[in-house]
Amino acid sequence: MNPPTIMPDPMPPIRQFLPNPETPWLVSPQLFQRIQATGITDGYKKCPITFNDPEWAFILRYFEWKKPTNRCIKAVHCIHSPSASQAFQATISTIDQQAQSPAFSPKWQQEEDAQLRQKVNQRWKAMTDPYSPVTVPGANSRIDSYAHTKILPLWHGTKAAICHSICQTGFTFFGKHQLLQEGKKDENNTDTGYFGAGIYFTNSARYAAEVYSDGNLLLAWVSMREPYPVVANAPNLYPDKPKDMRKLEGLGAYQNYNAHHIPIVSVKPDNPNCAIYYPCSQTEQPQCDEIVVFQPSQTLARFWIEVEIELARSPEVQLTIGAFLQKVLDLLEAQAIQQDIGLAKALEDKANLLIILDPNKTIPDQDAEFCRWAMQLLDSAGKVRTFVSKKLLIPQLPSSPPTPQANIPTIQQQNFMIPQIIPAPVVQPILPKVPQVPATAFGKAKWNTHFGDIGQEPPLPANIDQILLSRCPFWPDKKVQDTHLLVLIPKTVNGQLLTLANLAQWIKKPRRGNTTKFSQWHPGGNENLSVASSYWVLMTKDVLEGTRSKSYSDQTKIVSRFGQNAGIHYQPPKLLEAAVCILTEHVSSGVRIYSDNPWTGTRCEEKYANRPYQMLVGGFGAGGLVVGYDVYDCYGADFGLSCLRRF
């Protein structure tokens, strides 16, 4: 018998791109402000999302991970229903209690195909671990953490009218295979559901869009305990059904489970148009996953995504590089372009790359798509077409420079506003070179020198050199590299989670470099918080001008205003991020930023314990670094606010 194999690729690593990773269903402050200003229609609020919102990057990466064939995002709206949010958050506590009770212990180990079910269970854990634990705001500013309730962002494909109904009243128990029944059926009737009469979701935008959608997707947060792992007892059973399907079809939750997990595969893998999927047997690899839950309060519809057919490619475009460059320069002169910072930056970066190429040569294939979209950027009235603008701001394949010479920009200097995950399936991928880690950055090599091995180092943005050499948005007379620290925030160091508590021990005895300690230690329950996966931060070396002697609320508004003016998404630091940046700078250089002369501290996102006190870090002197909290939301000059970008 062949050993069971379930592929270890169930979810993309994108949690760090969420504005609130610990409470991932919450939206960014700027989006929430727009939602608050939006009127309620039919019981819920619907607010457009732009590519300047941090949520856009998360949604786009997830959509592109398993991208629908020849389809793209047309529009995204954030959905907000206060009653649905309250029900969803209340259920998390109940599920967490159940998960710790012997009465709800899973029993799949006692069933047939236990070895294969174990592989499915491991796959589910790989899906949910990056989103665990989660925190829920409680009463009296209390923050509750839940490690046993598992949360996932999942797709639900359906019709526009049903999306509207779900946003109004929540998900209901639709069977999922109405579209697969032969012959015409009453559209108001649904089938019983292959894997149970529940609410169906998937981790694949392609599967949701191509099998069940009329051009509308919902991206929802879904909570659960450990689900029942559904498998096929043998391959190639169609049109017969595996044992698990026969025992689950049309029924409610199996035994004491509140969810079913099904890695699925097409019954005709060689037919891309086949819309019938079965559970995987021990010899089959999943194409994606389905999750079925059985209580509407386990679900929270957060984003409504409209998709559309991508415009056909025009292979006859034969512009020369010189003509293409002239078109880009003409666009940069347009008033509508100059008013859009992000779009102007993308065009400027493209011009900088084209200027070094032979103007008489035909544009490279990898630039043809950018050229086609650029030709359609302005309408007849000189206004920017929003859809085309979004296509230009999605990463394009790189231009091909000549053999590198001195002072010639390299491929690493391209501007990718949103790092690409996978190229469109119709394009032969031409992967950009991985950018080099700048010497000033505290990356894998320096972590290994001073503290230990951090595992795989995530890539930096392809245009990191341009970012560091650009004008600082906070101190315009300086460059970003002079006012910011570029630091890798690893998930683990020598196999141990990076937490504030562990960091407190490591800085006393680093492998090499300057030692220190925490002179005051009041972490307020935040000492064991860790990160889901490794990522980079670019944090200011000082608090922003104008943020001292201000409340935290006013400080965050200043950060938002700076970011909006620069067209860059900056956020206040988390406590762990700020401490890591300050202490890694000291261990490697001996310099104490956020020092005690003059006393300087930055407030951070977290609160102290169950109280409404903002955490802060700073006052770094010879005795060590202060980790404390601000009892009175003090207006004193000691407490400002730094900010950072996450990559």
Side-chain angles (χ1 to χ4, degrees):
M1 177 182 295
N2 294 326
T5 56
I6 296 292
M7 71 176 191
D9 184 26
M11 290 290 281
I14 54 175
R15 183 186 185 185
Q16 66 268 31
F17 298 109
L18 288 162
N20 299 287
E22 284 75 29
T23 312
W25 56 91
L26 297 185
V27 300
S28 58
Q30 65 265 36
L31 177 55
F32 187 71
Q33 289 178 0
R34 299 205 309 273
I35 291 172
Q36 292 295 89
T38 302
I40 294 179
T41 303
D42 296 328
Y44 68 96
K45 294 187 176 185
K46 184 179 180 183
C47 179
I49 289 180
T50 73
F51 57 82
N52 288 321
D53 293 316
E55 289 83 359
W56 170 259
F58 176 82
I59 295 166
L60 180 64
R61 284 170 171 83
Y62 198 1
F63 183 84
E64 294 279 344
W65 181 62
K66 290 188 181 292
K67 185 177 182 292
T69 305
N70 199 32
R71 300 187 194 184
C72 60
I73 294 177
K74 176 183 178 182
V76 180
H77 288 83
C78 181
I79 303 302
H80 180 61
S81 166
S83 59
S85 297
Q86 291 170 9
F88 179 75
Q89 293 187 169
T91 299
I92 289 174
S93 173
T94 301
I95 292 176
D96 207 74
Q97 292 175 13
Q98 292 175 348
Q100 299 176 70
S101 169
F104 293 93
S105 296
K107 300 179 178 60
W108 54 261
Q109 298 94 334
Q110 303 168 21
E111 298 193 18
E112 291 182 308
D113 299 304
Q115 189 179 6
L116 179 56
R117 294 187 200 279
Q118 182 179 8
K119 293 291 184 181
V120 174
N121 183 256
Q122 291 172 351
R123 180 176 174 87
W124 173 79
K125 289 181 177 179
M127 294 171 67
T128 57
D129 281 353
Y131 293 90
S132 182
V134 296
T135 60
V136 178
N140 300 319
S141 300
R142 187 180 73 251
I143 302 296
D144 298 319
S145 181
Y146 298 98
H148 301 282
T149 300
K150 303 302 180 181
I151 308 288
L152 283 174
L154 296 171
W155 302 98
H156 182 88
T158 187
K159 301 176 182 178
I162 297 178
C163 284
H164 176 64
S165 175
I166 291 170
C167 294
Q168 279 184 297
T169 60
F171 286 94
T172 55
F173 297 97
F174 292 105
K176 75 183 184 71
H177 294 279
Q178 174 187 333
L179 301 180
L180 309 183
Q181 306 299 322
E182 294 183 1
K184 293 184 178 180
K185 297 286 184 181
D186 183 348
E187 290 189 356
N188 294 319
N189 292 333
T190 56
D191 71 300
T192 55
Y194 276 174
F195 311 124
I199 311 169
Y200 281 75
F201 298 91
T202 178
N203 59 351
S204 169
R206 181 186 308 139
Y207 179 66
E210 296 180 2
V211 178
Y212 302 113
S213 171
D214 68 347
N216 291 272
L217 301 173
L218 290 175
L219 183 53
W221 291 99
V222 182
S223 64
M224 69 202 79
R225 290 183 272 108
E226 183 176 316
Y228 179 62
V230 181
V231 301
N233 52 294
N236 306 318
L237 291 174
Y238 182 78
D240 293 332
K241 296 177 181 177
K243 291 180 180 179
D244 278 6
M245 288 178 65
R246 295 200 299 270
K247 75 181 180 186
L248 297 175
E249 187 171 10
L251 301 177
Y254 181 64
Q255 294 182 351
N256 59 352
Y257 298 91
N258 70 351
H260 301 163
H261 171 214
I262 315 98
I264 56 174
V265 64
S266 170
V267 298
K268 298 179 180 179
D270 296 331
N271 180 3
N273 297 318
C274 178
I276 301 176
Y277 287 73
Y278 274 13
C280 290
S281 68
Q282 64 179 2
T283 60
E284 293 172 313
Q285 295 282 9
Q287 292 174 260
C288 61
D289 300 74
E290 286 199 270
I291 297 285
V292 188
V293 297
F294 297 91
Q295 294 296 328
S297 60
Q298 290 178 253
T299 67
L300 180 65
R302 178 54 80 202
F303 303 110
W304 183 340
I305 296 94
E306 298 176 51
V307 300
E308 64 181 1
I309 303 297
E310 288 187 299
L311 298 178
R313 297 178 180 272
S314 303
E316 60 275 4
V317 173
Q318 295 293 328
L319 285 180
T320 64
I321 289 173
F324 181 25
L325 175 60
Q326 186 60 52
K327 175 63 179 179
V328 173
L329 295 175
D330 290 342
L331 287 171
L332 286 168
E333 294 297 318
Q335 184 176 2
I337 303 295
Q338 294 175 359
Q339 294 174 348
D340 189 320
I341 297 175
L343 188 56
K345 184 70 165 60
L347 291 169
E348 288 174 3
D349 289 337
K350 181 60 69 174
N352 288 333
L353 287 166
L354 293 171
I355 195 69
I356 65 174
L357 304 179
D358 185 344
N360 297 316
K361 289 187 176 181
T362 303
I363 60 173
D365 290 342
Q366 57 265 37
D367 276 318
E369 184 174 2
F370 188 99
C371 177
R372 280 188 287 267
W373 288 118
M375 294 295 185
Q376 305 298 324
L377 181 57
L378 299 180
D379 62 18
S380 58
K383 296 182 178 180
V384 173
R385 290 188 172 101
T386 302
F387 172 74
V388 177
S389 172
K390 291 178 181 178
K391 300 299 292 187
L392 292 177
L393 290 171
I394 295 173
Q396 309 295 321
L397 295 175
S399 302
S400 300
T403 303
Q405 301 174 21
N407 301 319
I408 293 181
T410 66
I411 197 169
Q412 289 89 342
Q413 293 173 300
Q414 295 183 80
N415 177 44
F416 291 133
M417 289 193 64
I418 302 176
Q420 187 174 13
I421 291 180
I422 56 173
V426 294
V427 179
Q428 183 66 28
I430 304 176
L431 300 178
K433 297 177 183 178
V434 177
Q436 296 295 316
V437 175
T440 55
F442 199 96
K444 177 182 175 67
K446 289 187 179 179
W447 273 103
N448 189 61
T449 297
H450 297 288
F451 297 109
D453 179 50
I454 56 92
Q456 185 175 1
E457 182 180 63
L460 283 161
N463 64 329
I464 189 61
D465 290 336
Q466 286 185 337
I467 291 174
L468 294 175
L469 293 173
S470 64
R471 186 176 63 179
C472 177
F474 310 110
W475 295 275
D477 58 331
K478 299 179 180 179
K479 295 180 179 179
V480 169
Q481 66 179 8
D482 301 321
T483 59
H484 290 61
L485 295 172
L486 182 59
V487 179
L488 175 61
I489 308 294
K491 179 178 181 179
T492 61
V493 180
N494 286 333
Q496 291 184 285
L497 287 175
L498 172 64
T499 65
L500 209 59
N502 285 336
L503 186 62
Q505 302 305 314
W506 300 338
I507 59 175
K508 296 176 183 177
K509 296 181 179 180
R511 286 181 171 181
R512 183 181 300 176
N514 301 285
T515 63
T516 188
K517 63 181 180 179
F518 288 112
S519 59
Q520 294 186 36
W521 177 252
H522 304 287
N526 298 291
E527 60 269 27
N528 293 316
L529 294 182
S530 59
V531 300
S533 58
S534 302
Y535 60 97
W536 290 89
V537 297
L538 186 64
M539 177 175 154
T540 57
K541 294 180 180 179
D542 198 356
V543 297
L544 304 190
E545 293 181 1
T547 62
R548 295 178 185 264
S549 302
K550 295 284 195 307
S551 68
Y552 181 69
S553 175
D554 289 340
Q555 289 172 339
T556 57
K557 292 176 183 177
I558 293 173
V559 170
S560 296
R561 186 170 66 249
F562 270 116
Q564 290 172 0
N565 292 339
I568 301 171
H569 182 61
Y570 274 92
Q571 295 175 282
K574 297 183 185 300
L575 182 62
L576 180 61
E577 293 169 336
V580 167
C581 289
I582 294 169
L583 292 169
T584 53
E585 173 69 10
H586 177 260
V587 75
S588 59
S589 70
V591 175
R592 299 188 186 100
I593 57 175
Y594 296 85
S595 73
D596 61 351
N597 186 26
W599 210 104
T600 300
T602 178
R603 292 190 177 101
C604 302
E605 284 190 2
E606 296 85 353
K607 303 286 187 182
Y608 178 83
N610 298 326
R611 302 176 184 179
Y613 308 152
Q614 212 68 41
M615 293 300 300
L616 59 87
V617 61
F620 197 3
L625 181 66
V626 173
V627 169
Y629 56 96
D630 186 2
V631 177
Y632 304 109
D633 199 15
C634 174
Y635 286 77
D638 291 344
F639 307 123
L641 187 65
S642 62
C643 63
L644 53 74
R645 298 173 64 181
R646 299 185 179 98
F647 304 124

